[in-house]
Amino acid sequence: MNERRLVPIAFLPCVMALLLASSAQAQSTVIAGGTVIDGTGRSIRDATVVVTGDRIACVGSSAECPAPAGATRVDATGRFITPGLVDAHVHFSQTGWIDGRPDGLSVPDLYPYPETARALRANPGRWYRAYLCSGITAVYDVGGHPWTTRLPGAAERDPMAPHVRAAGPLITHAGPAALNVDEEIYTFLPMATSADVQSSVAKLKAMGAQAVKVWYLAPQPARRAELDARMMEVGAAAKAAGLDLIVHATGLREAKVALRAGAVLLVHSVEDQRIDDEFLGLLSANRAVYAPTLTVGRNATRASVAIGLGQRFPIDDPGRCVDADTVAKIGNVEPLRPLIPEERRSPDVAFRRLEAVGARVALMGENLQRVHASGNTIVAATDAGNPLTLHGPSIYDEMEAMQAAGIPAADIVLMATRNGARAMGRAGDFGTLEAGRIADLLVLAEDPRTDERAFRTLTHVMRAGRLHRQADLAQR
Ligand SMILES: [Zn+2]
C-alpha cells in the first residue's frame, strides 16, 4: 500500500492558518474510508472520524460526520482504525534489562544500580517515545520510585507522552534492599506492623500515588496468618485514603487474600495452580481487573539463558521503537556471562529452563481462559521494564500470547484499549473512539479482529489530535 495516501493533503495550509491565527477555532482532521474498531465492540466500515483539537468530534458514516470547513483530510481506505493501546502494567523506573533489577542479577562494576536509578529519575520521559512509537497511548506504572508519582500530571500535558497512572513505591513484607538507593530513590515500603501499614499508606497518599500497590509474595506457612491480617489492614487503609488497592499475588491463595482485602487490580496471573470458582467469585464481587502478564517471566528467562550462552537474544521491535542505547546494552552479554553459575551455562540447561517456563505460561493461559469465560475484566499488560520486556513493543508479544492462549482476537482488542482505560480510571477520557474522548488512535494496515499481529502493521499514531507517521516516531 502506498504510504503517501495517508499524508494529510491540506496539512501545510492548515499549519499556516494555525500559526497565523492561533486564537481561531481548533484545527480539524478527518480520517475517512477505513474500518473503525471503536473499542466498544462496534465496527464501522467506510467510516469517518472527525477530530477537532485534541478530541474526537464524530465517529460514523460520512453522512453522519460531515467534514468541518478547512479540515485536513486523511484517506484511510483499506486500513483499520483502533483506539490507542493501553499497557496496564509497566515500570518507568526499570530499564528493560538486568541493570534495573539488581535483585535478580547484580553486576555493580558494570551497572552500579544507584547510577542507573538516578539516570532514570533525571530523565523521567525516557520511555515515552518508545510507547507512542509502538502505538501505546496510555500506561499504568504499577510500582516504582517516588518520582514516578509526578509523571501523570506532566505526561497529561505532553502530547508526545502517553497518559500515565502511577502507584509509586510498593508496600511489601519481602523487599530486597537492592532496590532501595536512598531516602529519595526507593522501591519498597514496610508492612511489618500495623503502624507500618498506616505510615506506608499515608506516605503514598502524601507523594501523590494513585494506588496502593502491595507486593504480596507467598509468605512462609508459619507467617501466613500474621501477613494475611496485615494485607487486610493495607486494604482498609487504602480504602480510607481513597486509593485503589492493587496487588502482585501470583499464588492462588495470596490472590484470594488480596481480593478479600479489596484489591481492584491483580497485576499478574495466578501461576501456581488452576484457579477455582471461589477465586472467580471474589474477582467478580470486587469487579476487579485481571492482568495476565503472560510473557514477562519467559522474557526474564530468555535474558538469563542468553547471558549464560553468551548470545544476544534477538529484539522483537518491528517499529524500531527501542532506543539505540538500550539495544546496545542488551547486546552486551559477554561481560555478564560469569554471573551465571558454570553449571547453568550449557545449552541443555537452557532448553530445560525454557521448557519449564513454557509450561508455566501454558498454565497461565488456561487460567486466563477461565477468567475470560467467567466474564471478568481482563487487560493487556506486559510488566515492561523487566529484562527483555521492553517498554513499547513488548505489547505485541503479550497480545499474541493471549491469542495463543485461546482468547479471541476481537476480545483482545477490547482488553488492550477500553479495559485498560477502565483499569486506569480513565474510561471517560480514552480507550474508545467516541465523540468527546481524547483523540488517541491508531491506523493499521491489517485487521486486528482476526489476528493480533495486525498491531505490528501500525502505520500511524494519533495522540491528542496530533497525527504521526509511525516511521517518524522510530528511534533507530
Ligand atoms: Zn511489575
Side-chain angles (χ1 to χ4, degrees):
M1 182 165 291
N2 182 354
E3 277 294 314
R4 287 194 179 164
R5 287 173 67 183
L6 277 153
V7 172
I9 295 155
F11 181 70
L12 279 175
C14 280
V15 167
M16 281 156 62
L18 209 66
L19 290 172
L20 291 169
S22 57
S23 61
Q25 72 182 60
Q27 187 189 354
S28 292
T29 303
V30 174
I31 305 170
T35 298
V36 162
I37 298 153
D38 74 357
T40 72
R42 189 174 65 142
S43 297
I44 310 164
R45 291 176 65 181
D46 192 16
T48 296
V49 180
V50 178
V51 172
T52 298
D54 66 349
R55 298 276 161 173
I56 295 168
C58 189
V59 182
S61 65
S62 56
E64 289 165 333
C65 299
T72 302
R73 190 180 166 80
V74 174
D75 180 5
T77 306
R79 305 216 176 180
F80 300 86
I81 299 151
T82 72
L85 295 171
V86 181
D87 188 339
H89 184 150
V90 310
H91 299 284
F92 277 96
S93 48
Q94 294 183 37
T95 62
W97 190 235
I98 64 154
D99 55 331
R101 287 303 298 262
D103 54 327
L105 283 178
S106 178
V107 52
D109 292 342
L110 187 57
Y111 301 127
Y113 183 64
E115 225 164 85
T116 301
R118 290 193 182 105
L120 287 168
R121 186 177 61 163
N123 186 6
R126 177 82 169 79
W127 313 112
Y128 286 172
R129 189 167 173 131
Y131 281 115
L132 283 200
C133 172
S134 305
I136 295 168
T137 53
V139 295
Y140 196 163
D141 186 321
V142 300
H145 298 155
W147 59 263
T148 59
T149 61
R150 295 194 293 272
L151 294 178
E156 202 62 31
R157 295 184 293 273
D158 181 351
M160 294 305 288
H163 306 277
V164 178
R165 186 177 176 90
L170 320 177
I171 295 180
T172 190
H173 59 94
L179 293 173
N180 290 342
V181 174
D182 56 33
E183 66 276 11
E184 285 186 23
I185 301 180
Y186 57 89
T187 303
F188 300 111
L189 290 166
M191 57 184 279
T193 63
S194 297
D196 278 350
V197 168
Q198 297 305 322
S199 71
S200 292
V201 171
K203 204 165 180 180
L204 289 172
K205 178 83 176 170
M207 76 173 71
Q210 293 175 302
V212 170
K213 160 85 174 283
V214 181
W215 209 45
Y216 201 45
L217 305 192
Q220 294 299 319
R223 293 196 68 200
R224 276 180 188 162
E226 170 209 345
L227 290 169
D228 288 358
R230 214 87 320 127
M231 181 74 234
M232 298 300 286
E233 289 174 11
V234 177
K239 191 176 179 192
L243 295 172
D244 285 348
L245 177 68
I246 68 176
V247 182
H248 167 125
T250 57
L252 180 60
R253 201 199 72 83
E254 287 70 34
K256 287 180 183 176
V257 173
L259 291 167
R260 288 196 187 96
V264 296
L265 169 62
L266 294 180
V267 303
H268 290 295
S269 285
V270 169
E271 61 177 51
D272 66 333
Q273 56 185 300
R274 290 164 65 106
I275 56 172
D276 55 19
D277 289 343
E278 184 186 32
F279 171 83
L280 293 170
L282 288 165
L283 202 60
S284 61
N286 286 17
R287 301 170 72 90
V289 174
Y290 187 82
T293 64
L294 299 177
T295 54
V296 62
R298 189 197 60 197
N299 291 340
T301 302
R302 284 173 170 173
S304 169
V305 161
I307 291 166
L309 294 176
Q311 299 283 326
R312 171 190 182 279
F313 196 86
I315 285 179
D316 181 10
D317 179 20
R320 303 184 73 75
C321 296
V322 178
D323 63 279
D325 287 352
T326 299
V327 171
K329 194 167 51 186
I330 288 170
N332 189 26
V333 290
E334 196 54 46
L336 305 176
R337 223 177 160 206
L339 296 175
I340 309 291
E342 182 88 47
E343 68 277 8
R344 284 165 72 98
R345 288 186 217 160
S346 68
D348 61 318
V349 172
F351 290 135
R352 271 186 273 124
R353 291 185 68 197
L354 291 167
E355 282 169 9
V357 79
R360 204 168 79 225
V361 172
L363 174 60
M364 289 157 69
E366 286 174 33
N367 282 343
L368 176 59
Q369 276 189 351
R370 284 191 199 99
V371 175
H372 182 244
S374 74
N376 279 291
T377 303
I378 296 163
V379 289
T382 62
D383 209 352
N386 280 288
L388 287 180
T389 302
L390 301 171
H391 294 280
S394 60
I395 194 77
Y396 306 137
D397 196 23
E398 181 66 28
M399 290 192 290
E400 287 155 19
M402 294 166 83
Q403 182 170 298
I407 309 301
D411 292 352
I412 297 169
V413 175
L414 298 178
M415 294 169 187
T417 56
R418 178 194 66 187
N419 292 3
R422 280 187 192 165
M424 291 177 69
R426 301 292 304 273
D429 297 325
F430 53 80
T432 59
L433 300 181
E434 297 176 273
R437 299 290 196 275
I438 296 169
D440 295 345
L441 59 82
L442 311 181
V443 181
L444 312 175
E446 292 176 17
D447 187 349
R449 294 167 302 177
T450 52
D451 190 338
E452 289 316 291
R453 282 178 294 186
F455 285 100
R456 294 174 182 270
T457 69
L458 177 68
T459 62
H460 291 74
V461 178
M462 179 180 274
R463 172 72 183 87
R466 294 195 192 189
L467 188 67
H468 307 273
R469 283 194 336 137
Q470 190 282 332
D472 292 339
L473 295 170
Q475 300 207 82
R476 35 178 245 286

